[in-house]
Amino acid sequence: MSVHHDRLRPVDRRVRVQGRPVDSYPALPPEVARGSVRRVTVVGEEILSRPCQEVTEFGTPELSALIDDMFLTMHVADGAGLAANQVDVDLRLFVYDCPDDDGIRHVGHIINPVLDLPDPGSRRLVDEFEGCLSVPGATMTVSRTDRAVVRGLDKDGNPLVIEGTGYFARCLQHETDHLFGHTYLDRLSKRDRKDALRQMADRREDVFAQRVVKAAQLSR
């Protein structure tokens, strides 16, 4: 087995906010305190199965409020990422608070994202369990590349480039899929999709109850 020398370099373990390392960051992003909880859409609702509209207006109070609400809603639901159509808003935007496989936390939002994956010759596919806040209670194995880059804009229209590896790369791919009208169920065989929907039917009420409890805790 060969030694990967890049792995021997010290890893900068600082939290990445909007792709940049910061020296300190709270357990809950500041957006959470400003936000209001929104209902999470569930697979089968039409808004989840069509591409979202591009964001064309930046720097607005409405866009900032939406991002705040999405952060709170994501934390209430114990999610690592949340797309705008998952709170019934038809815009190309997602938020995230997600670790990578080195345990480094990545927090931020990105608007009108374009996903870049490694070339087929150099990409490595990883099969891991994946869940979705819009498929409550279900987890299935999904194949994703172990690296991903997303290019887009922040809420003020400034360009962003967000790079992810491991679990965070999976998150970037999962959330970008949402904005094009796809859930991870679309990547499953018919049999596995049935299994996921059966899991959701069995567990969704428990998941909804847990979200109510978490919302009450975060509103204190």
Side-chain angles (χ1 to χ4, degrees), residues 81-103:
L82 186 72
N85 56 354
Q86 292 183 274
V87 292
D88 206 25
V89 174
D90 184 11
L91 289 175
R92 289 187 61 196
L93 154 70
F94 68 80
V95 302
Y96 57 89
D97 189 344
C98 181
D100 62 24
D101 286 1
D102 290 318

Side-chain angles (χ1 to χ4, degrees), residues 3 36 47 54 78 88 99-101 119 132 140 177 195:
V3 175
S36 300
I47 196 167
E54 274 207 6
D78 286 325
D88 206 25
D100 62 24
D101 286 1
D119 293 330
C132 178
M140 296 296 295
D177 272 359
D195 186 7

Side-chain angles (χ1 to χ4, degrees), residues 112-146:
N112 300 338
V114 176
L115 182 68
D116 287 342
L117 299 178
D119 293 330
S122 60
R123 74 177 54 166
R124 189 169 77 91
L125 292 174
V126 179
D127 294 333
E128 279 189 5
F129 279 111
E130 197 165 310
C132 178
L133 302 187
S134 293
V135 192
T139 57
M140 296 296 295
T141 301
V142 182
S143 186
R144 302 271 191 189
T145 67
D146 68 339

Side-chain angles (χ1 to χ4, degrees), residues 64-84:
S64 292
L66 171 61
I67 290 168
D68 292 346
D69 291 355
M70 288 173 65
F71 264 100
L72 177 57
T73 303
M74 174 177 65
H75 275 271
V76 162
D78 286 325
L82 186 72

Side-chain angles (χ1 to χ4, degrees), residues 6-218:
D6 58 323
R7 280 286 181 192
L8 302 179
R9 291 181 199 148
V11 176
D12 182 347
R13 299 199 166 274
R14 289 179 293 174
V15 176
R16 307 297 199 274
V17 178
Q18 298 295 88
R20 298 184 178 209
V22 296
D23 290 330
S24 65
Y25 197 76
L28 286 176
E31 292 91 342
V32 168
R34 301 191 297 260
S36 300
V37 178
R38 300 200 186 197
R39 184 185 73 86
V40 177
T41 52
V42 176
V43 67
E45 294 184 44
E46 196 259 342
I47 196 167
L48 290 174
S49 60
R50 57 179 161 83
C52 293
Q53 300 292 312
E54 274 207 6
V55 175
T56 56
E57 292 187 36
F58 295 86
T60 66
E62 292 81 7
L63 187 57
S64 292
L66 171 61
I67 290 168
D68 292 346
D69 291 355
M70 288 173 65
F71 264 100
L72 177 57
T73 303
M74 174 177 65
H75 275 271
V76 162
D78 286 325
L82 186 72
N85 56 354
Q86 292 183 274
V87 292
D88 206 25
V89 174
D90 184 11
L91 289 175
R92 289 187 61 196
L93 154 70
F94 68 80
V95 302
Y96 57 89
D97 189 344
C98 181
D100 62 24
D101 286 1
D102 290 318
I104 296 166
R105 182 183 176 196
H106 299 261
V107 186
H109 69 271
I110 191 161
I111 296 169
N112 300 338
V114 176
L115 182 68
D116 287 342
L117 299 178
D119 293 330
S122 60
R123 74 177 54 166
R124 189 169 77 91
L125 292 174
V126 179
D127 294 333
E128 279 189 5
F129 279 111
E130 197 165 310
C132 178
L133 302 187
S134 293
V135 192
T139 57
M140 296 296 295
T141 301
V142 182
S143 186
R144 302 271 191 189
T145 67
D146 68 339
R147 293 181 174 274
V149 176
V150 171
R151 303 172 197 278
L153 303 166
D154 70 11
K155 64 184 178 180
D156 297 313
N158 301 309
L160 281 175
V161 179
I162 307 297
E163 300 183 35
T165 59
Y167 186 69
F168 183 46
R170 178 173 295 271
C171 174
L172 294 176
Q173 293 168 77
H174 179 112
E175 300 308 329
T176 304
D177 272 359
H178 271 300
L179 302 181
F180 288 93
H182 302 297
T183 68
Y184 80 90
L185 299 184
D186 299 327
R187 295 180 173 272
L188 303 178
S189 67
K190 275 189 176 175
R191 189 175 75 176
D192 285 350
R193 183 186 170 95
K194 268 189 177 176
D195 186 7
L197 293 173
R198 189 163 51 243
Q199 289 180 41
M200 183 178 83
D202 290 344
R203 300 171 186 165
R204 62 189 288 172
E205 295 310 318
D206 287 342
V207 171
F208 293 156
Q210 287 167 8
R211 291 178 186 175
V212 170
V213 171
K214 188 79 177 279
Q217 290 170 343
L218 287 176

